[in-house]
C-alpha cells in the first residue's frame, strides 16, 4: 500500500502536542510496516531526523501553511496533486485537516473540537475555518481517530458522525520522563526557581489553558503560605495572551512567578522532576499529556475535573473546577501541607501512567489505517 501522510507539524525543535503525536506514531508505524510505502508531505524544508525508515519518501510542497487561506490552498490543491502522483491508497492526516478534492480514502485524527465550544479563544479567521471545515472533514473521512472517549462522544454529538466510525487512540508518553535524584531536584530548583520549591504549569499560553485562573489561585496560595514557593510556567505564547500578562501584573506575589518560555525536552525532564506538583487546570483538553508526563516524573498532579481530563487522571490526581479559584488554591495547599498525600498521589500516578504508551497508540492507529482501507 501507499500511505500518504500530512507531516507539516514535524518541525525540528518545535514539536507541540499534535507534532509529538505525529512523530511518535509515524516513527513506529513506518518501522513496524516495512511492506508499505509512506509518502511524508512537508510544507517546508524538513529534518532528516523525521525520515524514520527506508520506506519513507519525503515530498516538500509549498506554501508553508501559516494561515487559513494557505491551509485551504495546501489541502484542497496541493495535497490532491501529490495523492494522484504517487497513487496513494490512503491519506492519513494526524492533525485532522482533510481534502475535499480527492477520492482517495482519508483517515483524520481529530484530537479535540475545543473550537466548537470556545471559538472566542482563537483568532476570528481560524475559528471560522475550523467551525466551517471540520464538520465537513468529519463527514467525508473514511474513519476518524481521536485521543479520548470524551472527544469521541463530543465529535459524534457535535458533527452528527456515526459513533462506530471513530476509533480512540489515547496519547502516549515520552519515555524520557522519570523521577530524578534529590541532588538533581535541587539543581533544577536552583536553575528555575532560585532554589525554592515550585508548582509547575506546562502548556501553551492560550486562553483555553486557564493560566489566568492559575495565577490568581497561586496568588491566593501565597497569601496563606508566606514562604519562597514559586510557580514556574513553561510554554510559548499562542493566542490572546494579553489577559495572562495583565493578571500577572496585578498579582501581589508576581515576583514568585517564573515564565521560562519554550524549553528543550531534556530541560523539561529536569523541570518536571524538580517540581513540588504539576498544576494543570485548563478549561478544555482533548487529552492532557502533561498530566501523564508528571506522573512518570514522580510528582503529584492537580488538574481540572472537566472534558477528557478525568479519563487521563483517574484516581491518581487532585481535581479542581477550573472556574473556581478557591478549589485550585485549596488543592495547592493540600499538596503543600501534606507529604503523605504527595506520596500517595505519586504512587497512584505510577500505576495510572502505565495505561498510556506510544507503542499502544501506534498499534491502535494502525488498526484505524487497516479499517480505512477495507
Amino acid at each position: 500500500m501507499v500511505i500518504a501522510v500530512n507531516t507539516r507539524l514535524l518541525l525540528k525543535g518545535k514539536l507541540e502536542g499534535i507534532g509529538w503525536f505525529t512523530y511518535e506514531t509515524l516513527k513506529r508505524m513506518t518501522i513496524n510496516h516495512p511492506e508499505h510505502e509512506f509518502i511524508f508531505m512537508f510544507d517546508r524544508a524538513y529534518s532528516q531526523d523525521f525520515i524514520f525508515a527506508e520506506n519513507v519518501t519525503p515530498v516538500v510542497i509549498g506554501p508553508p501553511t501559516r494561515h487559513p487561506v494557505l491551509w485551504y490552498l495546501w489541502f484542497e490543491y496541493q495535497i490532491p496533486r501529490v495523492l494522484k502522483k504517487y497513487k496513494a491508497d490512503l491519506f492519513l492526516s494526524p492533525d485532522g485537516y482533510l481534502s475535499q478534492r480527492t477520492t482517495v480514502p482519508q483517515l483524520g485524527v481529530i484530537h479535540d473540537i475545543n473550537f466548537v465550544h470556545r471559538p472566542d479563544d482563537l483568532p476570528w479567521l481560524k475559528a471560522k475555518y475550523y467551525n466551517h471545515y471540520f464538520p465537513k472533514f468529519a463527514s467525508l473521512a473514511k474513519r476518524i481517530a481521536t485521543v479520548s472517549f470524551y472527544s469521541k462522544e463530543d465529535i459524534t454529538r457535535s458533527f452528527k458522525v456515526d459513533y462506530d466510525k471513530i476509533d480512540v487512540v489515547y496519547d502516549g508518553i515520552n519515555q524520557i520522563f522519570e523521577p530524578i535524584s534529590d541532588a538533581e531536584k535541587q539543581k533544577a530548583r536552583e536553575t528555575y526557581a532560585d532554589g525554592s520549591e515550585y508548582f509547575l504549569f506546562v502548556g501553551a499560553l492560550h486562553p483555553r489553558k486557564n493560566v489566568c485562573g492559575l495565577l490568581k489561585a497561586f496568588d491566593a496560595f501565597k497569601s496563606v503560605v508566606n514562604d519562597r514557593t514559586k510557580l514556574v510556567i513553561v510554554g510559548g505564547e499562542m493566542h490572546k495572551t494579553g489577559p495572562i500578562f495583565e493578571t500577572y501584573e496585578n498579582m501581589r506575589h508576581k515576583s514568585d512567578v517564573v515564565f521560562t518560555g519554550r524549553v528543550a525536552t531534556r530541560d523539561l525532564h529536569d523541570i518536571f522532576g524538580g517540581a513540588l506538583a504539576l498544576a494543570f487546570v485548563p478549561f478544555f483538553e482533548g487529552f492532557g499529556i502533561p498530566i501523564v508526563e508528571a506522573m512518570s516524573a514522580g510528582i503529584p498532579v492537580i488538574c481540572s475535573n472537566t472534558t477528557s481530563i478525568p479519563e487521563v487522571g483517574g484516581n491518581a490526581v487532585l481535581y479542581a473546577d477550573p472556574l473556581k479559584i478557591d478549589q485550585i488554591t485549596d488543592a495547592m495547599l493540600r499538596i503543600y501541607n501534606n507529604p503523605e498525600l504527595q506520596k500517595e498521589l505519586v504512587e497512584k500516578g505510577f500505576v495510572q501512567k502505565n495505561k498510556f504508551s506510544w507503542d499502544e497508540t501506534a498499534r491502535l492507529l494502525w488498526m484505524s489505517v487497516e479499517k480505512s482501507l477495507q
Side-chain angles (χ1 to χ4, degrees):
M1 292 187 302
V2 178
I3 301 167
V5 191
N6 157 25
T7 52
R8 69 193 185 101
L9 296 184
L10 290 182
L11 302 169
K12 189 173 177 64
K14 296 181 180 178
L15 294 179
E16 300 281 0
I18 298 177
W20 277 115
F21 178 96
T22 306
Y23 175 86
E24 297 287 358
T25 54
L26 291 182
K27 180 171 65 173
R28 289 163 173 80
M29 286 165 56
T30 52
I31 292 170
N32 292 342
H33 298 281
E35 71 276 17
H36 301 302
E37 182 182 357
F38 293 83
I39 310 300
F40 280 14
M41 295 182 283
F42 298 91
D43 67 347
R44 64 198 79 188
Y46 60 90
S47 168
Q48 197 64 30
D49 293 351
F50 300 134
I51 310 306
F52 305 119
E54 292 182 356
N55 57 337
V56 174
T57 300
V59 178
V60 177
I61 48 175
T65 53
R66 296 189 176 99
H67 184 277
V69 172
L70 299 177
W71 297 342
Y72 181 83
L73 292 174
W74 206 71
F75 284 96
E76 299 303 339
Y77 291 92
Q78 297 289 59
I79 291 294
R81 180 173 61 82
V82 175
L83 296 177
K84 183 176 181 181
K85 178 180 177 180
Y86 288 92
K87 298 182 172 61
D89 296 294
L90 179 72
F91 175 48
L92 167 61
S93 185
D95 61 17
Y97 294 64
L98 299 180
S99 176
Q100 300 173 97
R101 297 169 62 89
T102 181
T103 58
V104 173
Q106 300 182 76
L107 167 59
V109 185
I110 302 178
H111 294 253
D112 66 70
I113 53 172
N114 66 84
F115 49 84
V116 171
H117 308 286
R118 302 183 60 84
D120 292 342
D121 287 352
L122 298 165
W124 178 82
L125 189 57
K126 285 187 177 182
K128 293 289 285 185
Y129 180 96
Y130 293 145
N131 280 293
H132 179 75
Y133 284 106
F134 267 79
K136 297 178 186 292
F137 297 159
S139 177
L140 66 87
K142 183 73 178 292
R143 293 200 72 78
I144 296 167
T146 193
V147 294
S148 64
F149 281 96
Y150 171 83
S151 287
K152 175 172 178 167
E153 291 166 3
D154 196 20
I155 293 165
T156 299
R157 184 171 55 250
S158 299
F159 293 163
K160 306 297 187 289
V161 175
D162 183 354
Y163 188 80
D164 293 332
K165 175 178 167 176
I166 305 175
D167 302 313
V168 174
V169 296
Y170 280 128
D171 278 321
I173 177 171
N174 192 322
Q175 294 301 308
I176 194 173
F177 296 104
E178 59 186 2
I180 62 178
S181 69
D182 289 343
E184 290 172 313
K185 288 181 182 180
Q186 188 55 39
K187 184 178 179 182
R189 290 168 183 171
E190 289 170 358
T191 302
Y192 298 101
D194 295 329
S196 303
E197 289 190 314
Y198 58 89
F199 287 98
L200 174 65
F201 167 85
V202 176
L205 303 190
H206 182 292
R208 177 167 60 87
K209 299 295 185 178
N210 193 25
V211 179
C212 290
L214 180 58
L215 291 171
K216 292 173 183 176
F218 179 70
D219 219 17
F221 167 86
K222 290 291 292 188
S223 296
V224 176
V225 178
N226 187 23
D227 71 356
R228 298 178 60 217
T229 305
K230 309 285 187 187
L231 171 63
V232 174
I233 295 179
V234 177
E237 294 185 37
M238 277 193 72
H239 310 302
K240 301 187 177 183
T241 54
I244 293 173
F245 295 109
E246 183 179 333
T247 301
Y248 167 74
E249 290 298 337
N250 289 326
M251 290 178 68
R252 289 178 57 198
H253 302 278
K254 66 181 179 183
S255 62
D256 289 313
V257 178
V258 179
F259 289 91
T260 69
R262 289 179 56 89
V263 301
T265 303
R266 181 69 237 178
D267 295 330
L268 192 57
H269 161 271
D270 297 334
I271 296 172
F272 263 114
L276 174 63
L278 178 73
F280 185 75
V281 287
F283 296 119
F284 195 108
E285 280 293 316
F287 184 83
I289 287 179
I291 297 168
V292 190
E293 291 173 339
M295 291 174 180
S296 291
I299 65 170
V301 177
I302 298 164
C303 59
S304 305
N305 61 0
T306 59
T307 60
S308 67
I309 296 175
E311 277 183 70
V312 180
N315 70 343
V317 302
L318 283 189
Y319 290 106
D321 184 333
L323 294 169
K324 296 180 178 177
I325 304 304
D326 60 328
Q327 288 191 17
I328 304 169
T329 302
D330 180 63
M332 289 178 154
L333 288 167
R334 288 180 63 194
I335 293 279
Y336 178 85
N337 288 319
N338 193 335
E340 282 302 312
L341 176 61
Q342 295 175 28
K343 182 180 177 182
E344 177 188 338
L345 291 174
V346 168
E347 290 174 352
K348 288 181 176 179
F350 285 144
V351 175
Q352 179 69 7
K353 63 100 174 177
N354 288 327
K355 297 178 180 179
F356 310 104
S357 79
W358 286 121
D359 287 342
E360 180 66 1
T361 308
R363 186 186 73 82
L364 292 171
L365 186 59
W366 184 254
M367 288 177 64
S368 291
V369 167
E370 291 182 324
K371 290 177 186 176
S372 300
L373 289 162
Q374 289 174 358

